[in-house]
Amino acid sequence: MSRRVARYALLTALAMVLSWLESAIPLSAAAPGMKLGLPNLAIIFALYRLGLREAASVSLARVILVSATFGNAYSLAYSLAGAALSLAVMAALKRTGRFSILGVSIAGGAAHNLGQILVAIAVLGTARLAWYLPPLLVSGTAAGAAIGAAGGLLTERVRL
C-alpha cells in the first residue's frame, strides 16, 4: 500500500514540476494555448508501466493541483477536458495492441487539444473557435510524437 502511494506521489510531483517547467517555455507567443505536453510524460509512463487506473489517478491529481496552484476554474475545465479525452483515447488505442507508444501518445496529444477546443466552444458559446483546431492538432501531433518517443525510452529504462 505505501509503495503504491509513493509511486502515485512521485509521478504526480513529476507531472507538476513538468507543468511548471512547461509554463516557463513561451510557446503561447506562436499560438495561444500551445504547449509541449511535458506533464504527459508522467501520464504515459503510468499508463504503460502501472495501468489505466493509476494513470487516471495521477492525471486527475495533477490537473487539480496545478489548477489550484497556478490556474483558475477555467484552466481546470480546459485541463480536465483535455486530460480526460486524451487518457481515454490513449487507453483505448493501447488496449487494441495495434499502436506503439509513439502512436498512442500522438493520438493523446491530438485528443487533448480537441477536448480543450470543445470546452472553449461550450464556455464561450460559439463554434467559431473550431477554426483554431487545425493548428492545435498540428502542435498536438508534434508534441505527442516527442512525448511518445521520450515516454518509450522511460518505460524501457525506468523501473518503479
Side-chain angles (χ1 to χ4, degrees), residues 43-68:
I43 307 310
I44 199 99
F45 179 84
L47 180 63
Y48 274 84
R49 291 300 310 272
L50 303 174
L52 176 56
R53 182 183 312 180
E54 293 80 359
S57 296
V58 170
S59 184
L60 181 61
R62 180 201 60 93
V63 166
I64 291 170
L65 291 170
V66 168
S67 293

Side-chain angles (χ1 to χ4, degrees), residues 1 16 30 63 65 103 159:
M1 171 77 168
M16 288 186 67
V63 166
L65 291 170
R159 303 283 174 220

Side-chain angles (χ1 to χ4, degrees), residues 10-117:
L10 178 66
L11 288 171
T12 301
L14 175 62
M16 288 186 67
V17 168
L18 291 171
S19 288
W20 173 79
L21 181 63
E22 183 176 72
S23 70
I25 300 170
L27 285 180
S28 290
M34 199 173 284
K35 294 183 178 184
L36 294 174
L38 295 178
N40 291 321
L41 274 172
I43 307 310
I44 199 99
F45 179 84
L47 180 63
Y48 274 84
R49 291 300 310 272
L50 303 174
L52 176 56
R53 182 183 312 180
E54 293 80 359
S57 296
V58 170
S59 184
L60 181 61
R62 180 201 60 93
V63 166
I64 291 170
L65 291 170
V66 168
S67 293
T69 306
F70 305 114
N72 55 43
Y74 288 112
S75 65
L76 175 63
Y78 290 114
S79 294
L80 197 54
L85 187 56
S86 174
L87 186 58
V89 166
M90 289 191 304
L93 294 181
K94 178 183 178 279
R95 193 174 318 127
T96 70
R98 296 177 140 183
F99 297 89
S100 68
I101 193 169
L102 184 66
V104 167
S105 181
I106 289 170
H112 186 89
N113 290 329
L114 177 60
Q116 289 189 323
I117 284 291

